[in-house]
Amino acid sequence: MSERQQPGAPDDGSASRPLGATTAHAHDTVRPALVVGALGVVFGDIGTSPIYTMQTVFNPGDPHPVPISTENVYGVVSLVFWSVMIIVTVTYVLLAMRADNEGEGGIMALITLLRRHNPKRAARTAVLLAGLGVFGAALFFGDSMITPAISVLSAVEGLKVIEPSLHELVVPITAVIILVLFLAQRRGSGTVGRLFGPIMIIWFVTIAACGVRGIAGNPEILRALSPAYALDFLVGRFDAAFYALAAIVLAVTGAEALYADMGHFGRRAITRAWVALVFPACALSYLGQGALILADPGHVSSPFFLLVPEWARLPLVLLATAATVIASQAVISGAFSVASQAAELGYLPRLRILHTSESTAGQVYVPWVNWLLLVAVLTLVFAFRSSTALAYAFGMAVTATITITTLMFFYVGRWRWNVPLWVLAVGAVPLLLVDLLFVAANGTKLLHGAWLPLLIGLAAFTVMTTWQRGREIVTAERQRREGSLRDFVVRLRGDGALTRRVPGTAVFLNRGKETAPLAMRANVEHNHVRHEHVLILSIDTQPVPRVPPEQQIVVDDLGFADDGITHVSARFGYMETPDVPEVLRRLGPDATEGQLDVDEASYFLSKIELRSGTRPTMPRWRKRLFIATSYITADAAEHFCLPRERTVIMGSDIEL
C-alpha cells in the first residue's frame, strides 16, 4: 500500500505549524544583515524592471504601439513613476504589509485573516473574497514561472546590443543560468540573500548612476516627476496612454513578491530597503532612459543598456544578468511561501517543506514546487525565446493579483482596525480604479500572450479548490469513522472480551486526541487484539526554531491510569526533525503506565485509500484530480523517522 498523506490532513500525527509562524521578535530589531538579505531576495524582480519596461512601452512591434513624441515620453515616464509610487509604495509598503498574519504576508495571509476573524454577518462576502484570494495566489504561481524567464532573457539579450551575431546564444545561456539558479535553492533564501545582497547593492547604485548620466544630458526630464504630466497623458491622449499601461505595469512587477516574502525578512527591513535605495534607484533609471529617448528616438530599442558608454556595456550586461537571476529568486522565494501557507490552509496537500533558517521561520524550501517551476520556466524560455514576446503575457498575472490584494486588504482593514467606511472609501476607490485600469489595459493583450498566466492561474486554482473541497469530504467521513477517542478507550475498558492483550508496544500516530486513530480501531475491530502498551502520539510543530526538552512532551492518561493506553503530544521547533523513536526513549515508565520497548515497538499509520465512486460529492473529473494530487504528499514514515521494518499502515477505503 502506498504511504502518502491522508487527504483528511493533517494526518499521521502531523499538526501543521500555525499560519504565519514567524516569531514576532524575529524582526523587531532591523539588523543591517537582514536589510542586505532582503535586497538579495525580495527586490530582484522589481529592481530589474528598468531593463525592459521602457523599451516594451515604445516597442514598434507591439500590437498597439505608442508613438514616440516629446509629450508621450514625458507622459510615460511620469506614469511609470507615479504607478510605482501608488501601487508599490502606497498599496503594498504603506498599507498591505501592515496586514500580516503573525509576520507572514501575501495573499494567503489575507485569506487566513479572513477565515480567522470573519464577522458572521459578512460570511458570504468573506467566502467570495477568499475565493478571489485563492485565484490571486494561483496567478502568483504563473508570475513565478514567467518572471525568471523574462528577467534572465532580458539581461542576456544585452549581448545583442554589444554584438548582434550573438543572438543565437541568448536562449542557451539563459537556460543554463536558470538551471543553476534552481539547483541553488536548497541552500535556503537566507544563504542566497547574503550572497546576492551585495550584488544588488552594486546593481542599484549602478542603475542610479546610469540614470543620473542620462538625466545630465537632458535635465528637463525631471519635470516628469510632476503628476500633471501623467494626468495630462491619461486624459489628453487616452488612446496611447491606455495601451501604454499594458507595458507600464512591468515597472511594478515584483510588488506582490515584496508582500509574499515578508515572512522571510520582516516588514521593517523590506520597507527601509525600498525607501532608502530601491525606489530612488529605479526612479533615476526611468528618468535617465526617458532623457535618452528624448535626445534620440533611435535609442528606444534598448535604452537601458545604451545609457552607458560602449566600453561599459559588457560589464553592465554581466551585472544585469546577475541581477535578473536575483529577480527570479524573489518570486521563487515568494512561491515557496505561498505554497507553504496554501498547504497549511488546506488548499494543497502536505508538501515536503524544509526550513532553512534558525532565526526566521518564514525561510522555507519546497522541493516539489522548485522542480515544477524549473520545468515550467525552461519551457517558457524555449517556447517564447525573447523577453518582448513574454512581456505581453506578464502584465495580466501581475495586475489581477494586485487588484485582488487591494480589495482583500481594505475588506480586512474594515473590521480589523475598525476604519470608518467613508475613510476606507477615500483610500480604496482611487487605488482600485488605478488597479482596474491596468487590468483593462492588459486585457487588450489577451490574444497576444496574456492568456498564458490566466491559463496557469486557472489550472492552479482548480487544483487548489479541488483539494480543499475533497479534503473537506474526506475529513468529515474520516471523523465519522474514527469516533471519539475517549469513548473508544472506555469501550475497551468495559468490554474485556472485545480484545485480548498481546505483549509489546504499539505507537499510533494521530492528528490529536479528539478522535481514535483509524489504525487502532481497525486493529481492535478486525484483529481483536491490543498491545500491552499503547501510545497515541500527536506531533505539534511550534513557531520557534527549537523547543526546550522540558517543554517538548505532554502526556495524558485519557482518564485511566492503569489501562496501558496513553496519549503523548510531542512538540518540535520548525528547525527540528520530528524523531519519534527518540521522543519515546525519553518517556519514563511512570508516564506511560509501564516500561516501553522502544527498540521493538511497532508503529501504526492511519491511511485512507481514495476511490472515485458514485456519490454526488464532486464531478468525476474533480474526483480524479483530487486523487492524483494526493500522490505528491510528503511521506509520513520518512518525515517522522519511523523504522520502516516496524511500520504498519492500516486504514480503509473512502469513496468520494
Side-chain angles (χ1 to χ4, degrees):
M1 299 177 71
S2 64
E3 299 180 4
R4 65 181 188 271
Q5 175 207 21
Q6 312 324 310
D11 71 334
D12 298 331
S14 169
S16 297
R17 76 178 166 88
L19 266 291
T22 304
T23 51
H25 64 270
H27 304 310
D28 283 349
T29 301
V30 181
R31 295 174 285 111
L34 202 61
V35 177
V36 173
L39 285 167
V41 173
V42 176
F43 296 103
D45 189 4
I46 200 165
T48 54
S49 296
I51 298 176
Y52 46 81
T53 298
M54 292 296 289
Q55 73 181 45
T56 304
V57 173
F58 293 108
N59 176 25
D62 192 288
H64 307 97
V66 178
I68 300 176
S69 66
T70 301
E71 293 80 8
N72 285 355
V73 171
Y74 273 101
V76 165
V77 173
S78 184
L79 208 50
V80 167
F81 177 83
W82 286 103
S83 295
V84 174
M85 176 67 78
I86 293 171
I87 292 177
V88 183
T89 305
V90 177
T91 299
Y92 278 94
V93 175
L94 294 182
L95 297 178
M97 290 178 68
R98 295 181 181 275
D100 67 287
N101 177 43
E102 298 181 29
E104 291 284 357
I107 265 189
M108 297 308 298
L110 288 175
I111 294 174
T112 308
L113 292 174
L114 282 173
R115 289 172 48 160
R116 181 183 299 169
H117 303 292
N118 166 47
K120 292 183 179 180
R121 64 180 181 277
R124 189 169 299 178
T125 303
V127 168
L128 176 61
L129 286 174
L132 276 176
V134 174
F135 185 63
L139 285 173
F140 185 76
F141 286 122
D143 186 15
S144 303
M145 296 174 186
I146 298 174
T147 293
I150 190 174
S151 298
V152 180
L153 269 173
S154 67
V156 179
E157 283 170 351
L159 292 173
K160 297 189 293 185
V161 178
I162 300 169
E163 178 53 61
S165 62
L166 296 176
H167 73 278
E168 291 293 338
L169 296 177
V170 169
V171 171
I173 291 174
T174 299
V176 171
I177 291 171
I178 287 171
L179 180 62
V180 172
L181 171 66
F182 279 95
L183 289 175
Q185 291 305 310
R186 69 184 66 187
R187 299 183 65 86
S189 58
T191 301
V192 173
R194 287 191 295 273
L195 174 66
F196 287 167
I199 298 175
M200 288 307 294
I201 292 175
I202 296 172
W203 168 256
F204 287 119
V205 171
T206 300
I207 68 171
C210 292
V212 170
R213 184 174 186 269
I215 294 169
N218 190 352
E220 292 293 311
I221 192 64
L222 292 173
R223 292 189 298 174
L225 293 175
S226 169
Y229 284 90
L231 293 173
D232 181 65
F233 186 46
L234 276 173
V235 176
R237 290 174 296 281
F238 182 76
D239 52 342
F242 181 71
Y243 292 123
L245 287 174
I248 289 172
V249 72
L250 298 177
V252 299
T253 57
E256 180 63 26
L258 265 68
Y259 192 23
D261 282 338
M262 191 167 68
H264 291 242
F265 299 99
R267 181 175 67 86
R268 292 184 181 180
I270 292 174
T271 300
R272 292 185 184 184
W274 170 255
V275 173
L277 181 59
V278 181
F279 184 33
C282 290
L284 288 171
S285 179
Y286 289 124
L287 288 164
Q289 292 181 58
L292 190 69
I293 295 171
L294 284 176
D296 182 358
H299 289 152
V300 76
S301 61
S302 188
F304 179 81
F305 291 106
L306 292 173
L307 270 175
V308 298
E310 188 172 348
W311 61 266
R313 286 172 192 165
L314 180 57
L316 185 59
V317 168
L318 295 177
L319 180 59
T321 302
T324 53
V325 168
I326 298 166
S328 305
Q329 180 64 53
V331 292
I332 293 170
S333 299
F336 291 161
S337 295
V338 170
S340 174
Q341 293 181 65
E344 291 165 350
L345 277 173
Y347 289 105
L348 286 176
R350 186 187 66 203
L351 302 171
R352 182 168 174 249
I353 298 172
L354 305 179
H355 292 270
T356 58
S357 170
E358 294 206 23
S359 61
T360 308
Q363 292 188 13
V364 295
Y365 166 61
V366 187
W368 192 87
V369 173
N370 188 63
W371 305 128
L372 175 65
L373 288 179
L374 171 60
V375 172
V377 171
L378 289 177
T379 300
L380 290 174
V381 168
F382 287 112
F384 284 83
R385 305 186 69 82
S386 76
S387 60
T388 303
L390 270 170
Y392 300 144
F394 206 13
M396 183 57 77
V398 174
T399 55
T401 304
I402 289 171
T403 304
I404 293 170
T405 299
T406 305
L407 189 63
M408 293 180 67
F409 166 77
F410 280 107
Y411 183 80
V412 169
R414 168 65 177 151
W415 50 259
R416 189 177 190 186
W417 297 304
N418 295 317
V419 180
L421 195 58
W422 70 269
V423 174
L424 207 66
V426 169
V429 171
L431 290 179
L432 284 172
L433 283 177
V434 171
D435 294 345
L436 291 173
L437 194 58
F438 274 106
V439 171
N442 278 273
T444 64
K445 309 296 183 184
L446 199 59
L447 300 179
H448 305 283
W451 57 269
L452 177 63
L454 293 179
L455 181 62
I456 295 172
L458 184 61
F461 177 77
T462 302
V463 170
M464 293 168 74
T465 54
T466 297
W467 180 263
Q468 193 252 358
R469 173 59 184 151
R471 180 176 174 272
E472 288 178 349
I473 296 168
V474 172
T475 298
E477 177 62 19
R478 180 171 181 167
Q479 289 178 343
R480 185 188 68 80
R481 295 189 184 188
E482 288 175 338
S484 168
L485 173 59
R486 291 186 181 272
D487 289 347
F488 188 62
V489 170
V490 170
R491 179 186 168 199
L492 286 177
R493 184 179 180 84
D495 189 354
L498 181 64
T499 61
R500 67 182 182 88
R501 287 197 179 193
V502 296
T505 299
V507 181
F508 296 88
L509 272 74
N510 200 38
R511 295 169 297 168
K513 61 179 181 180
E514 300 303 319
T515 59
L518 277 178
M520 182 179 177
R521 187 176 287 277
N523 207 31
V524 168
E525 295 179 351
H526 296 286
N527 298 329
H528 303 291
V529 297
R530 51 156 292 196
H531 288 73
E532 182 180 4
H533 296 291
V534 175
L535 255 69
I536 301 165
L537 180 66
S538 300
I539 304 296
D540 184 12
T541 304
Q542 300 290 305
V544 293
R546 302 183 188 280
V547 175
E550 64 274 11
Q551 300 177 15
Q552 198 169 54
I553 299 173
V554 177
V555 179
D556 186 345
D557 62 12
L558 299 174
F560 304 101
D562 59 353
D563 60 357
I565 302 176
T566 308
H567 180 274
V568 175
S569 178
R571 299 170 178 172
F572 291 91
Y574 62 80
M575 285 296 296
E576 296 178 288
T577 300
D579 190 331
V580 169
E582 181 59 31
V583 169
L584 300 185
R585 289 188 177 93
R586 292 167 48 197
L587 293 171
D590 293 339
T592 56
E593 303 175 20
Q595 185 65 48
L596 302 180
D597 187 1
V598 178
D599 294 329
E600 297 297 328
S602 298
Y603 298 88
F604 293 83
L605 300 179
S606 302
K607 177 187 175 296
I608 292 174
E609 192 70 28
L610 301 173
R611 292 186 294 107
S612 177
T614 57
R615 294 175 60 197
T617 52
M618 290 191 295
R620 183 173 294 275
W621 67 268
R622 292 192 75 185
K623 293 179 181 180
R624 291 174 177 171
L625 176 61
F626 176 70
I627 294 171
T629 306
S630 69
Y631 284 96
I632 70 173
T633 314
D635 177 54
E638 178 183 355
H639 183 71
F640 298 119
C641 304
L642 305 182
R644 290 189 178 276
E645 69 277 7
R646 289 185 281 118
T647 299
V648 181
I649 300 176
M650 301 180 66
S652 61
D653 292 347
I654 282 187
E655 183 180 283
L656 293 173

